[in-house]
Amino acid sequence: MVEELELRTPDLRLAARAWGPADGIPVLAVHGWLDNAASFDALAPLLPDIRFVALDLTGHGWSDHRPPGVHYHFVDFIPDIVAAADALGWERFSLLGHSLGGGIVAFVAAILPERVRRVAMIEGLGPPTSNPDDGPANLRKAIEQMNALSRKRLPVYPNVEAAIHARCEASGLSWLAAATLVERGLQPVGDGFGWRTDPRLRFVSPLYLSEPQILAYMGRIEAPALLICGADGYLVKRAYMQERYARIAGLTVKILPGGHHPHLEDPEPSARLLGPFFAARRGEQTSA
């Protein structure tokens, strides 16, 4: 049975969904951009020996939004994840992240090698970068977007089905997968429904890390690492990812059929890799 959790951190309230026995292998799962904890609804029940806790990232799902006037920098999610682990009372734990969440958990593993047992990523390894020459334009646009927020008309859908259709159109997800995310991602707005997601998450980032900075983090990951890519997903098409792979000493890369959400669209192949991976002790070989 799934449990709804509320984690109180020093600054924010984070919502989460949890599966598995309280004394199971602790795994903290982090979803992708504009998704929510329901991203793992299909996968988590297939990992019965794991205490699987899936967060709603700040600004997503049922978690708190950041205060007014504050941007969502990639690195600001890192202390939120550490605070969530602390709130759970987990000194040693493993991590699983999808897309944006994959980038986040990689950075957590890099800075806390003494706490992270194992780290698995699905379709995500570090944050996106941009051309350094675009930095001034990105910062200006981010400020303009923030200033225009109060005048922005946010979408309102007449019913849940219309919101699911919009999500399918935007992401290419199947109806069932989109419905899983949308159910947790909507809130009543007047006579219709709007997104719970903080609209500031859609803004251009005011500052991107450079590729050399990201590679420095990849090189600090000591935990055994597993990266799952969809054959039709994002990562397999990006040549620069090869250097990121090369910097992680204990990385195994697996390609599964499917697109950007293989764990949600067809969870069993991901579960067959992740179950043995999280159960193995350091230094042991797994089927991954």
Side-chain angles (χ1 to χ4, degrees):
M1 296 291 291
V2 63
E3 306 168 49
E4 293 290 346
L5 303 182
E6 184 175 282
L7 305 179
R8 291 285 177 176
T9 75
D11 301 313
L12 296 161
R13 179 193 58 83
L14 297 175
R17 290 168 69 77
W19 294 260
D23 60 352
I25 300 166
V27 174
L28 188 58
V30 186
H31 61 79
W33 180 60
L34 303 182
D35 290 350
N36 54 60
S39 178
F40 300 101
D41 276 11
L43 174 67
L46 303 179
L47 302 170
D49 296 326
I50 289 174
R51 180 57 174 174
F52 193 106
V53 177
L55 290 178
D56 284 329
L57 282 171
T58 312
H60 297 74
W62 296 355
S63 287
D64 284 347
H65 294 187
R66 300 210 185 279
V70 176
H71 287 282
Y72 284 84
H73 297 89
F74 170 80
V75 294
D76 293 332
F77 289 112
I78 312 303
D80 294 342
I81 304 308
V82 178
D86 291 343
L88 289 165
W90 290 356
E91 181 58 31
R92 290 272 292 165
F93 54 93
S94 294
L95 290 164
L96 170 64
H98 169 246
S99 193
L100 168 65
I104 291 169
V105 300
F107 272 46
V108 175
I111 66 169
L112 293 178
E114 73 280 7
R115 296 186 64 180
V116 176
R117 271 188 77 246
R118 291 178 167 260
V119 56
M121 297 147 289
I122 302 172
E123 279 283 300
L125 182 62
T129 59
S130 71
N131 186 328
D133 290 340
D134 295 334
N138 288 336
L139 179 56
R140 174 173 176 155
K141 186 172 183 179
I143 293 171
E144 290 172 345
Q145 289 175 320
M146 186 70 84
N147 291 339
L149 180 60
S150 62
R151 304 187 299 275
K152 185 178 178 63
R153 293 187 62 183
L154 302 177
V156 176
Y157 303 97
N159 50 54
V160 174
E161 289 73 19
I164 296 172
H165 178 75
R167 183 63 202 258
C168 289
E169 289 289 307
S171 62
L173 284 170
S174 68
W175 184 271
L176 180 61
T180 299
L181 295 172
V182 167
E183 181 180 0
R184 191 173 180 86
L186 284 182
Q187 62 184 351
V189 177
D191 294 330
F193 296 90
W195 302 116
R196 291 181 181 273
T197 309
D198 193 328
R200 289 172 291 176
L201 287 159
R202 295 180 179 272
F203 294 171
V204 169
S205 176
L207 183 66
Y208 289 86
L209 294 173
S210 68
E211 192 63 22
Q213 287 176 307
I214 294 169
L215 291 176
Y217 283 88
M218 300 300 101
R220 295 294 293 271
I221 296 174
E222 298 178 8
L226 171 65
L227 175 63
I228 297 173
C229 298
D232 299 315
Y234 294 165
L235 295 195
V236 294
K237 303 171 185 176
R238 299 182 177 179
Y240 68 84
M241 279 289 172
Q242 296 299 321
E243 181 62 25
R244 297 191 188 184
Y245 301 169
R247 293 297 181 98
I248 304 175
L251 178 66
T252 298
V253 180
K254 291 291 185 179
I255 311 296
L256 294 180
H260 188 54
H261 289 75
H263 63 298
L264 179 57
E265 298 274 19
D266 183 15
E268 290 189 5
S270 293
R272 286 196 292 269
L273 293 172
L274 292 167
F277 175 75
F278 287 129
R281 298 181 182 275
R282 178 177 289 273
E284 289 183 2
Q285 296 297 317
T286 75
S287 60

